[in-house]
Amino acid sequence: MRTHDDPEIIAVGNRIRDAAIARGYTSSRSSSGVKISILAKMIGASSEMTSRYVEGEASIPLEKIRLLAKGLRVSLLWLSHGQG
């Protein structure tokens, strides 16, 4: 697993956060500003792991990115690579 120093992992986390906020999944209780529990349910992961994905602290598996793209109604290519 790569660390939060990886710019690609950080960028994916930022796009997840931006898409979640755009869908209205916000929380003032979360350091990311995102309602982590909703995203965790979308991808079938723990809130702790989902938070790590959003914060750019852990590499997210492609299947989880696919589920988030569908649930957040964004392009898989955009969410995974910032294109499109």
Side-chain angles (χ1 to χ4, degrees):
M1 182 182 310
R2 294 180 277 181
T3 68
H4 68 284
D5 293 332
D6 187 316
E8 184 178 325
I9 292 173
I10 294 168
V12 171
N14 287 339
R15 288 190 294 274
I16 293 169
R17 185 196 65 235
D18 292 348
I21 290 171
R23 298 286 313 149
Y25 302 142
T26 60
S27 172
S28 60
R29 294 174 48 192
S30 168
S31 62
S32 64
V34 172
K35 188 142 187 152
I36 297 296
S37 61
I38 290 175
L39 301 182
K41 285 181 184 178
M42 276 183 202
I43 63 173
S46 69
S47 290
E48 181 181 329
M49 197 68 226
T50 303
S51 180
R52 293 186 68 208
Y53 296 147
V54 174
E55 294 290 335
E57 295 175 352
S59 179
I60 182 170
L62 182 57
E63 184 54 34
K64 303 287 187 199
I65 294 174
R66 282 190 184 112
L67 292 169
L68 281 173
K70 182 178 179 181
L72 295 172
R73 299 182 190 161
V74 296
S75 156
L76 174 61
L77 188 59
W78 176 77
L79 196 57
S80 61
H81 299 290
Q83 301 173 4

Coordinates of all heavy atoms in Angstrom, one line a residue:
M1 N 0.8 -1.2 0.0 CA 0.0 0.0 0.0 C 0.9 1.2 0.0 O 1.8 1.3 0.8 CB -0.9 0.0 1.3 CG -1.8 1.1 1.3 SD -2.9 1.2 2.8 CE -3.5 -0.5 2.9
R2 N 0.6 2.2 -0.8 CA 1.3 3.4 -0.9 C 0.8 4.3 0.2 O -0.2 4.2 0.8 CB 1.1 4.1 -2.2 CG 1.8 3.3 -3.4 CD 1.6 3.9 -4.7 NE 0.2 3.5 -5.2 CZ -0.2 3.9 -6.3 NH1 0.5 4.7 -7.1 NH2 -1.4 3.6 -6.7
T3 N 1.6 5.3 0.5 CA 1.3 6.3 1.6 C 0.6 7.5 1.1 O 0.5 7.7 -0.1 CB 2.5 6.7 2.4 OG1 3.4 7.5 1.6 CG2 3.3 5.4 2.9
H4 N 0.3 8.4 2.0 CA -0.4 9.6 1.6 C 0.5 10.6 0.9 O 0.1 11.7 0.5 CB -1.0 10.3 2.9 CG 0.0 10.8 3.9 ND1 0.7 9.9 4.7 CD2 0.5 12.0 4.1 CE1 1.5 10.6 5.4 NE2 1.4 11.9 5.1
D5 N 1.8 10.3 0.8 CA 2.7 11.1 0.1 C 2.6 11.0 -1.5 O 3.3 11.7 -2.2 CB 4.2 10.8 0.5 CG 4.4 11.2 2.0 OD1 3.7 12.2 2.4 OD2 5.3 10.6 2.6
D6 N 1.9 10.0 -1.9 CA 1.7 9.7 -3.3 C 0.7 10.7 -3.9 O -0.5 10.7 -3.6 CB 1.2 8.3 -3.5 CG 1.2 7.9 -5.0 OD1 0.8 8.7 -5.8 OD2 1.7 6.8 -5.3
P7 N 1.1 11.6 -4.8 CA 0.2 12.6 -5.4 C -1.0 12.0 -6.1 O -2.1 12.6 -6.1 CB 1.1 13.4 -6.4 CG 2.5 12.9 -6.2 CD 2.5 11.7 -5.4
E8 N -0.8 10.8 -6.7 CA -1.9 10.2 -7.4 C -3.0 9.8 -6.4 O -4.2 10.0 -6.7 CB -1.4 9.0 -8.2 CG -2.5 8.3 -9.0 CD -1.9 7.2 -9.8 OE1 -0.8 7.2 -10.3 OE2 -2.7 6.2 -10.0
I9 N -2.6 9.2 -5.3 CA -3.6 8.7 -4.3 C -4.3 10.0 -3.7 O -5.5 9.9 -3.5 CB -2.9 7.9 -3.2 CG1 -2.4 6.6 -3.8 CG2 -3.8 7.7 -2.0 CD1 -1.6 5.8 -2.9
I10 N -3.5 11.0 -3.4 CA -4.1 12.2 -2.9 C -5.1 12.8 -3.9 O -6.2 13.2 -3.5 CB -3.0 13.3 -2.6 CG1 -2.2 12.7 -1.4 CG2 -3.6 14.6 -2.2 CD1 -0.9 13.5 -1.2
A11 N -4.8 12.8 -5.2 CA -5.7 13.4 -6.2 C -7.0 12.6 -6.3 O -8.1 13.2 -6.4 CB -5.0 13.4 -7.6
V12 N -6.9 11.3 -6.2 CA -8.1 10.4 -6.3 C -9.0 10.8 -5.1 O -10.2 11.0 -5.2 CB -7.8 8.9 -6.3 CG1 -9.1 8.1 -6.1 CG2 -7.1 8.6 -7.7
G13 N -8.4 10.9 -3.9 CA -9.1 11.2 -2.7 C -9.8 12.6 -2.8 O -10.9 12.7 -2.4
N14 N -9.1 13.5 -3.4 CA -9.7 14.9 -3.6 C -10.9 14.8 -4.5 O -11.9 15.5 -4.3 CB -8.6 15.8 -4.1 CG -7.6 16.2 -3.1 OD1 -7.9 16.1 -1.9 ND2 -6.5 16.7 -3.6
R15 N -10.8 14.0 -5.6 CA -11.9 13.9 -6.5 C -13.1 13.2 -5.9 O -14.3 13.6 -6.1 CB -11.5 13.2 -7.8 CG -10.6 14.0 -8.7 CD -10.4 13.5 -10.1 NE -9.6 12.2 -10.1 CZ -8.3 12.1 -10.1 NH1 -7.5 13.2 -10.1 NH2 -7.6 11.0 -10.1
I16 N -12.8 12.2 -5.1 CA -13.9 11.5 -4.3 C -14.6 12.5 -3.4 O -15.8 12.6 -3.4 CB -13.4 10.3 -3.5 CG1 -12.9 9.2 -4.4 CG2 -14.5 9.8 -2.5 CD1 -12.1 8.1 -3.6
R17 N -13.8 13.3 -2.7 CA -14.3 14.3 -1.8 C -15.2 15.3 -2.6 O -16.3 15.6 -2.2 CB -13.2 15.0 -1.0 CG -13.8 16.0 0.0 CD -12.7 17.0 0.5 NE -12.3 17.8 -0.7 CZ -11.1 18.0 -1.1 NH1 -10.1 17.4 -0.5 NH2 -10.8 18.7 -2.1
D18 N -14.6 15.8 -3.7 CA -15.3 16.8 -4.5 C -16.7 16.3 -5.0 O -17.7 17.0 -5.0 CB -14.5 17.3 -5.6 CG -13.3 18.1 -5.2 OD1 -13.2 18.5 -4.0 OD2 -12.4 18.3 -6.0
A19 N -16.7 15.1 -5.5 CA -17.9 14.5 -6.0 C -18.9 14.2 -4.9 O -20.1 14.5 -5.1 CB -17.6 13.2 -6.7
A20 N -18.5 13.8 -3.8 CA -19.4 13.6 -2.7 C -20.0 14.9 -2.2 O -21.2 14.9 -1.9 CB -18.6 12.9 -1.5
I21 N -19.2 15.9 -2.1 CA -19.7 17.2 -1.7 C -20.7 17.7 -2.7 O -21.8 18.3 -2.4 CB -18.6 18.2 -1.4 CG1 -17.8 17.8 -0.2 CG2 -19.1 19.6 -1.3 CD1 -16.5 18.5 0.1
A22 N -20.4 17.6 -4.0 CA -21.3 18.0 -5.1 C -22.7 17.3 -5.0 O -23.7 17.8 -5.4 CB -20.7 17.8 -6.5
R23 N -22.7 16.0 -4.5 CA -23.9 15.3 -4.4 C -24.6 15.6 -3.1 O -25.7 15.1 -2.8 CB -23.6 13.7 -4.4 CG -23.0 13.2 -5.7 CD -24.0 13.1 -6.8 NE -25.2 12.5 -6.5 CZ -26.3 12.8 -7.2 NH1 -26.4 13.7 -8.2 NH2 -27.4 12.2 -6.9
G24 N -24.0 16.4 -2.2 CA -24.6 16.8 -1.0 C -24.3 15.9 0.2 O -25.0 16.0 1.2
Y25 N -23.3 15.0 0.1 CA -23.0 14.1 1.1 C -21.9 14.8 2.0 O -20.8 14.4 2.1 CB -22.4 12.8 0.6 CG -23.4 12.1 -0.3 CD1 -23.0 11.4 -1.4 CD2 -24.8 12.0 0.0 CE1 -23.8 10.7 -2.3 CE2 -25.6 11.4 -0.9 CZ -25.2 10.7 -2.0 OH -26.1 10.0 -2.8
T26 N -22.4 15.8 2.7 CA -21.4 16.6 3.6 C -21.7 16.3 5.0 O -22.7 15.9 5.5 CB -21.6 18.1 3.3 OG1 -22.9 18.5 3.6 CG2 -21.3 18.4 1.8
S27 N -20.6 16.6 5.8 CA -20.7 16.4 7.3 C -19.7 17.4 7.9 O -18.5 17.4 7.5 CB -20.4 15.0 7.7 OG -20.3 14.9 9.1
S28 N -20.1 18.2 8.8 CA -19.2 19.0 9.5 C -18.4 18.3 10.6 O -17.4 18.8 11.1 CB -20.0 20.2 10.2 OG -20.9 19.6 11.1
R29 N -18.8 17.0 10.9 CA -18.1 16.2 11.9 C -16.9 15.5 11.3 O -16.1 15.0 12.0 CB -19.1 15.2 12.5 CG -20.2 15.8 13.2 CD -21.2 14.9 13.7 NE -20.7 13.7 14.3 CZ -21.3 12.6 14.6 NH1 -22.6 12.6 14.3 NH2 -20.8 11.6 15.2
S30 N -16.8 15.5 10.0 CA -15.7 14.7 9.3 C -14.6 15.7 8.9 O -14.9 16.8 8.4 CB -16.3 14.1 8.1 OG -15.2 13.6 7.2
S31 N -13.4 15.3 9.1 CA -12.3 16.2 8.7 C -12.2 16.5 7.2 O -11.7 17.5 6.8 CB -10.9 15.6 9.2 OG -10.7 14.4 8.6
S32 N -12.8 15.6 6.4 CA -12.8 15.8 5.0 C -14.0 16.6 4.6 O -14.1 17.0 3.4 CB -12.8 14.4 4.3 OG -14.0 13.7 4.6
G33 N -15.0 16.8 5.4 CA -16.2 17.5 5.1 C -17.2 16.6 4.4 O -18.2 17.1 3.9
V34 N -16.9 15.3 4.4 CA -17.8 14.3 3.6 C -18.4 13.4 4.6 O -17.8 12.9 5.6 CB -16.9 13.5 2.6 CG1 -17.7 12.4 2.0 CG2 -16.4 14.5 1.6
K35 N -19.7 13.0 4.3 CA -20.3 12.0 5.1 C -19.8 10.6 4.8 O -20.3 9.9 3.8 CB -21.8 12.0 4.9 CG -22.6 11.2 5.9 CD -23.9 11.8 6.3 CE -24.5 11.0 7.4 NZ -25.3 11.8 8.3
I36 N -18.8 10.2 5.5 CA -18.1 8.9 5.2 C -19.0 7.7 5.2 O -18.8 6.8 4.4 CB -16.9 8.8 6.2 CG1 -15.9 9.9 6.0 CG2 -16.2 7.4 6.0 CD1 -15.2 10.0 4.7
S37 N -19.9 7.7 6.1 CA -20.8 6.5 6.3 C -21.5 6.2 5.0 O -21.7 5.0 4.6 CB -21.7 6.6 7.4 OG -22.6 7.7 7.2
I38 N -22.0 7.2 4.2 CA -22.7 7.0 3.0 C -21.7 6.4 2.0 O -22.1 5.4 1.3 CB -23.3 8.3 2.5 CG1 -24.4 8.7 3.4 CG2 -23.8 8.1 1.0 CD1 -25.0 10.1 3.0
L39 N -20.5 6.9 1.9 CA -19.6 6.4 0.9 C -19.2 4.9 1.3 O -19.0 4.1 0.4 CB -18.3 7.3 0.8 CG -18.6 8.7 0.4 CD1 -17.2 9.4 0.3 CD2 -19.3 8.8 -0.9
A40 N -19.0 4.7 2.5 CA -18.6 3.3 3.0 C -19.7 2.3 2.6 O -19.4 1.2 2.2 CB -18.4 3.3 4.5
K41 N -21.0 2.7 2.7 CA -22.0 1.8 2.3 C -22.0 1.5 0.8 O -22.3 0.4 0.4 CB -23.4 2.3 2.8 CG -23.6 2.2 4.2 CD -25.0 2.7 4.6 CE -25.2 2.7 6.1 NZ -26.4 3.2 6.6
M42 N -21.7 2.6 0.1 CA -21.7 2.4 -1.4 C -20.6 1.4 -1.8 O -20.9 0.7 -2.8 CB -21.2 3.8 -2.1 CG -22.3 4.7 -2.3 SD -21.6 6.2 -3.2 CE -22.8 7.4 -2.7
I43 N -19.5 1.3 -1.1 CA -18.4 0.5 -1.6 C -18.2 -0.8 -0.7 O -17.4 -1.6 -1.0 CB -17.1 1.3 -1.7 CG1 -16.6 1.8 -0.3 CG2 -17.2 2.4 -2.7 CD1 -15.3 2.4 -0.3
G44 N -19.0 -0.9 0.3 CA -18.9 -2.1 1.2 C -17.6 -2.1 1.9 O -17.0 -3.2 2.0
A45 N -17.2 -1.0 2.4 CA -16.0 -0.9 3.2 C -16.2 -0.3 4.6 O -17.3 0.3 4.8 CB -14.9 -0.1 2.4
S46 N -15.3 -0.4 5.5 CA -15.5 0.2 6.8 C -15.4 1.7 6.6 O -14.8 2.2 5.7 CB -14.4 -0.3 7.7 OG -13.1 0.2 7.3
S47 N -15.9 2.4 7.6 CA -15.8 3.9 7.6 C -14.4 4.3 7.7 O -14.0 5.3 7.1 CB -16.6 4.5 8.8 OG -18.0 4.3 8.5
E48 N -13.6 3.6 8.5 CA -12.2 3.9 8.7 C -11.4 3.8 7.4 O -10.7 4.7 7.0 CB -11.5 3.0 9.7 CG -10.1 3.3 10.0 CD -9.4 2.4 11.0 OE1 -10.1 1.9 11.9 OE2 -8.2 2.1 10.9
M49 N -11.6 2.7 6.6 CA -10.9 2.5 5.4 C -11.4 3.6 4.4 O -10.6 4.2 3.6 CB -11.1 1.1 4.8 CG -10.1 0.7 3.8 SD -8.5 0.6 4.5 CE -7.6 1.4 3.3
T50 N -12.7 3.8 4.3 CA -13.2 4.8 3.4 C -12.7 6.2 3.7 O -12.3 6.9 2.8 CB -14.8 4.8 3.5 OG1 -15.3 3.5 3.2 CG2 -15.4 5.8 2.5
S51 N -12.6 6.5 4.9 CA -12.0 7.8 5.3 C -10.5 7.9 4.8 O -10.1 8.9 4.3 CB -12.0 8.0 6.8 OG -11.5 9.2 7.2
R52 N -9.8 6.8 4.9 CA -8.4 6.8 4.4 C -8.4 7.0 2.9 O -7.5 7.7 2.4 CB -7.7 5.5 4.8 CG -7.5 5.4 6.3 CD -6.7 4.2 6.8 NE -5.4 4.4 6.3 CZ -4.5 3.4 6.0 NH1 -4.9 2.1 6.1 NH2 -3.3 3.7 5.6
Y53 N -9.3 6.5 2.2 CA -9.4 6.7 0.7 C -9.6 8.2 0.4 O -9.0 8.8 -0.4 CB -10.5 5.9 0.1 CG -10.4 4.4 0.2 CD1 -11.5 3.6 0.3 CD2 -9.1 3.7 0.1 CE1 -11.4 2.2 0.3 CE2 -9.0 2.4 0.2 CZ -10.1 1.6 0.3 OH -10.0 0.2 0.3
V54 N -10.6 8.7 1.1 CA -11.0 10.1 0.9 C -9.9 11.1 1.3 O -9.6 12.1 0.6 CB -12.3 10.5 1.6 CG1 -12.6 12.0 1.5 CG2 -13.5 9.7 1.1
E55 N -9.2 10.8 2.3 CA -8.1 11.6 2.8 C -6.8 11.4 2.0 O -5.8 12.1 2.2 CB -7.8 11.3 4.3 CG -8.9 11.7 5.2 CD -9.1 13.2 5.4 OE1 -8.2 14.0 5.1 OE2 -10.3 13.6 5.7
G56 N -6.8 10.5 1.1 CA -5.6 10.2 0.2 C -4.5 9.5 1.0 O -3.4 9.7 0.7
E57 N -4.9 8.8 2.0 CA -4.0 8.0 2.8 C -3.8 6.6 2.4 O -2.9 5.9 3.0 CB -4.4 8.1 4.3 CG -4.3 9.5 4.8 CD -4.8 9.6 6.3 OE1 -5.4 8.6 6.8 OE2 -4.7 10.7 6.8
A58 N -4.7 6.1 1.5 CA -4.6 4.7 1.1 C -5.0 4.6 -0.3 O -5.9 5.3 -0.8 CB -5.5 3.8 2.0
S59 N -4.4 3.7 -1.0 CA -4.8 3.4 -2.4 C -6.1 2.7 -2.5 O -6.3 1.7 -1.8 CB -3.6 2.6 -3.1 OG -4.0 2.2 -4.4
I60 N -7.0 3.1 -3.3 CA -8.3 2.5 -3.4 C -8.4 1.5 -4.6 O -7.9 1.9 -5.7 CB -9.4 3.6 -3.5 CG1 -10.8 3.0 -3.5 CG2 -9.2 4.5 -4.7 CD1 -11.9 4.0 -3.4
P61 N -8.9 0.3 -4.3 CA -9.0 -0.6 -5.4 C -9.9 -0.2 -6.5 O -10.9 0.5 -6.3 CB -9.5 -1.9 -4.7 CG -9.3 -1.7 -3.3 CD -9.3 -0.2 -3.0
L62 N -9.6 -0.6 -7.7 CA -10.4 -0.1 -8.9 C -11.9 -0.5 -8.7 O -12.8 0.3 -9.1 CB -9.9 -0.8 -10.2 CG -10.6 -0.3 -11.5 CD1 -10.6 1.2 -11.6 CD2 -10.0 -1.0 -12.7
E63 N -12.2 -1.6 -8.2 CA -13.6 -2.0 -8.0 C -14.3 -1.0 -7.1 O -15.5 -0.7 -7.3 CB -13.8 -3.5 -7.5 CG -15.2 -3.9 -7.4 CD -16.0 -3.8 -8.7 OE1 -15.5 -3.9 -9.8 OE2 -17.2 -3.5 -8.6
K64 N -13.7 -0.6 -6.1 CA -14.3 0.4 -5.2 C -14.4 1.7 -5.9 O -15.4 2.4 -5.7 CB -13.4 0.6 -3.9 CG -13.1 -0.7 -3.1 CD -14.3 -1.1 -2.4 CE -13.9 -2.3 -1.5 NZ -15.1 -3.1 -1.1
I65 N -13.5 2.1 -6.7 CA -13.6 3.3 -7.5 C -14.9 3.2 -8.4 O -15.6 4.2 -8.6 CB -12.4 3.6 -8.3 CG1 -11.2 4.0 -7.4 CG2 -12.6 4.8 -9.3 CD1 -9.9 4.1 -8.1
R66 N -15.0 2.1 -9.1 CA -16.2 1.8 -9.9 C -17.5 2.0 -9.2 O -18.4 2.7 -9.7 CB -16.2 0.4 -10.5 CG -15.2 0.2 -11.6 CD -15.5 -1.1 -12.3 NE -14.5 -1.3 -13.3 CZ -13.5 -2.2 -13.3 NH1 -13.4 -3.0 -12.3 NH2 -12.6 -2.3 -14.3
L67 N -17.6 1.5 -8.0 CA -18.8 1.6 -7.2 C -19.0 3.1 -6.8 O -20.2 3.5 -6.8 CB -18.7 0.7 -5.9 CG -18.7 -0.8 -6.2 CD1 -18.3 -1.5 -4.9 CD2 -20.0 -1.2 -6.7
L68 N -18.0 3.8 -6.4 CA -18.1 5.2 -6.1 C -18.5 6.0 -7.3 O -19.4 6.9 -7.2 CB -16.8 5.7 -5.5 CG -16.5 5.4 -4.1 CD1 -15.1 5.9 -3.7 CD2 -17.6 6.1 -3.1
A69 N -17.9 5.7 -8.4 CA -18.3 6.5 -9.7 C -19.8 6.3 -10.0 O -20.5 7.3 -10.3 CB -17.5 6.0 -10.8
K70 N -20.3 5.1 -9.8 CA -21.7 4.8 -10.1 C -22.6 5.5 -9.0 O -23.5 6.2 -9.4 CB -22.0 3.3 -10.1 CG -23.4 3.0 -10.3 CD -23.6 1.5 -10.4 CE -25.0 1.2 -10.7 NZ -25.3 -0.3 -10.7
G71 N -22.2 5.4 -7.8 CA -23.0 6.0 -6.7 C -23.0 7.5 -6.7 O -24.0 8.1 -6.3
L72 N -21.9 8.1 -7.1 CA -21.7 9.5 -7.1 C -22.1 10.1 -8.4 O -22.1 11.4 -8.6 CB -20.3 9.9 -6.7 CG -19.9 9.5 -5.3 CD1 -18.4 9.8 -5.1 CD2 -20.7 10.3 -4.2
R73 N -22.4 9.3 -9.4 CA -22.8 9.7 -10.7 C -21.8 10.5 -11.4 O -22.1 11.6 -11.9 CB -24.2 10.4 -10.6 CG -25.3 9.6 -10.1 CD -26.6 10.3 -10.1 NE -27.6 9.5 -9.4 CZ -28.7 10.0 -8.9 NH1 -28.9 11.3 -9.0 NH2 -29.5 9.3 -8.2
V74 N -20.6 10.0 -11.4 CA -19.5 10.7 -12.1 C -18.8 9.6 -13.0 O -19.0 8.4 -12.8 CB -18.4 11.3 -11.1 CG1 -19.0 12.4 -10.3 CG2 -17.8 10.2 -10.2
S75 N -18.0 10.1 -13.9 CA -17.3 9.2 -14.8 C -16.2 8.4 -14.1 O -15.5 9.0 -13.3 CB -16.7 10.0 -15.9 OG -15.6 9.4 -16.5
L76 N -16.1 7.1 -14.4 CA -15.0 6.3 -13.8 C -13.7 6.9 -14.2 O -12.8 6.9 -13.4 CB -15.2 4.9 -14.3 CG -14.1 3.9 -13.9 CD1 -13.9 3.8 -12.4 CD2 -14.3 2.5 -14.6
L77 N -13.5 7.3 -15.5 CA -12.3 7.8 -15.9 C -11.9 9.1 -15.2 O -10.7 9.3 -14.8 CB -12.3 8.1 -17.4 CG -11.0 8.5 -18.1 CD1 -10.0 7.4 -18.0 CD2 -11.3 8.7 -19.6
W78 N -12.9 9.9 -14.9 CA -12.6 11.2 -14.2 C -12.2 10.8 -12.7 O -11.2 11.3 -12.2 CB -13.8 12.1 -14.1 CG -13.6 13.3 -13.3 CD1 -12.8 14.4 -13.6 CD2 -14.0 13.5 -11.9 NE1 -12.7 15.3 -12.5 CE2 -13.5 14.7 -11.5 CE3 -14.8 12.7 -11.0 CZ2 -13.7 15.2 -10.2 CZ3 -15.0 13.2 -9.8 CH2 -14.5 14.5 -9.4
L79 N -13.0 10.0 -12.1 CA -12.7 9.6 -10.7 C -11.4 9.0 -10.5 O -10.6 9.3 -9.6 CB -13.8 8.8 -10.1 CG -13.9 8.7 -8.6 CD1 -14.0 10.0 -8.0 CD2 -15.0 7.8 -8.2
S80 N -11.0 8.1 -11.4 CA -9.8 7.3 -11.3 C -8.5 8.0 -11.8 O -7.5 7.9 -11.3 CB -9.9 6.0 -12.0 OG -10.1 6.1 -13.3
H81 N -8.7 8.9 -12.8 CA -7.6 9.5 -13.5 C -7.7 11.0 -13.7 O -6.7 11.6 -14.2 CB -7.3 8.8 -14.8 CG -6.9 7.4 -14.7 ND1 -5.8 6.9 -14.1 CD2 -7.6 6.3 -15.0 CE1 -5.8 5.6 -14.1 NE2 -6.9 5.2 -14.7
G82 N -8.8 11.6 -13.4 CA -9.0 13.0 -13.5 C -9.2 13.4 -15.0 O -9.0 14.6 -15.3
Q83 N -9.6 12.5 -15.8 CA -9.8 12.8 -17.2 C -11.3 12.7 -17.6 O -12.0 11.8 -17.0 CB -9.0 11.8 -18.1 CG -7.6 11.9 -17.9 CD -6.8 10.8 -18.6 OE1 -7.4 10.0 -19.4 NE2 -5.5 10.7 -18.4
G84 N -11.7 13.5 -18.5 CA -13.1 13.4 -18.9 C -14.1 14.3 -18.2 O -13.9 14.9 -17.2

